[in-house]
Amino acid sequence: MRLLVVNPNTTAGMTARIGAAARAVAAAGTHVEAVNPASGPVSIEGYFDEAFAVPGALQEIARGEREGYDAFIIACFDDTGLEAARCVASGPVLGIGEAAFHLASLVAHRFSVVTTLSRSIAPIETNLMKYGLERRCARVRACEVPVLALDDPASGAVERLSAEIERAKAEDGAEAIVLGCAGMADLAASLAHRHGLPVIDGVAAAVKLAETLVSLGHATSKLGPYAAPLPKAFAGVFAGMSNG
Ligand code: 5HY
């Protein structure tokens, strides 16, 4: 199967790390391509950045659909533009947030999420409610590490993340941890070992769920809100998205 992984921010180094994390868990026969749009924020931290990341992500999904990819992953933890992407694509579209929440709820009665900055907490809490999984999540926490600092070994990011995981265990009674940023993908195994509980990375979770859905022949239903966009003209900078 051909899997397109879309990092909705425009930082190519982060896209490469996300692609490596996806390939590390992909089954033989799963061909992974990781891309990011040319336009948009270098990182997504909160509602404003998210709003400007959506069009670029959708343009990448539309390109992948034209090129015949079997499944798609939105590799940003707030599942940037996920529902709109499901309208554009015929194959399954997985958001790394939703995928991680579902896997965590299969191995723990209650999990906590640790994301980057406090301003990223509310969009994640809103998604948990939208997915009907808020009752399984003890708390969404932030380790106050900017997204792009995750790339910098000298930023102390891992230590701050690790300390927040310990607080989640002690204060939330968390039985599992969901890493709340695609940029944390390569940290899951070492953190699980260090803290002695399941640590779920959304990139890996989404890859395995995409493979499962495609292997079972399941694609996005087009009977309801994920039906293909209505044919109409788009004006201005989005004229390229016209499908009329
Ligand atoms: C992410 N931002 O996964 C989110 C994390 C966050 O650029 N990639 C980003 O802080 O919302």
Side-chain angles (χ1 to χ4, degrees), residues 26-204:
T30 298
H31 170 72
V32 174
E33 186 188 348
V35 298
N36 59 261
S39 305
V42 292
S43 65
I44 298 162
E45 293 158 332
Y47 290 121
F48 184 80
D49 300 345
E50 184 185 351
F52 278 91
V54 171
L58 292 178
Q59 284 170 330
E60 291 302 322
I61 297 281
R63 178 182 66 76
E65 177 68 12
R66 289 192 299 275
E67 294 176 4
Y69 278 83
D70 302 295
F72 305 82
I73 292 178
I74 301 280
C76 178
F77 200 79
D78 54 22
D79 296 341
T80 314
L82 178 60
E83 288 82 7
R86 285 180 173 152
C87 297
V88 173
S90 46
V93 184
L94 284 296
I96 64 169
E98 186 178 25
F101 300 149
H102 280 293
L103 260 62
S105 68
L106 296 175
V107 295
H109 173 65
R110 204 174 296 291
F111 60 86
S112 286
V113 177
V114 182
T115 190
T116 55
L117 301 179
S118 294
R119 63 190 310 127
S120 293
I121 292 176
I124 294 169
E125 289 176 339
T126 302
N127 282 348
L128 279 160
M129 286 186 275
K130 188 167 59 176
Y131 305 146
L133 287 167
E134 75 280 4
R135 284 180 297 123
R136 305 297 298 279
C137 180
R139 183 167 171 192
V140 179
R141 294 170 165 270
C143 59
E144 301 307 344
V145 173
V147 169
L148 297 185
L150 290 164
D151 268 349
D152 171 10
S155 69
V158 176
E159 290 320 309
R160 293 180 72 106
L161 179 52
S162 189
E164 201 61 40
I165 290 174
E166 270 310 307
R167 280 189 283 274
K169 286 172 65 179
E171 299 167 14
D172 311 343
E175 304 147 32
I177 296 294
V178 168
L179 296 178
C181 180
M184 297 171 182
D186 54 357
L187 301 172
S190 59
L191 289 169
H193 180 72
R194 184 191 291 195
H195 296 283
L197 80 173
V199 174
I200 311 283
D201 153 47
V203 173

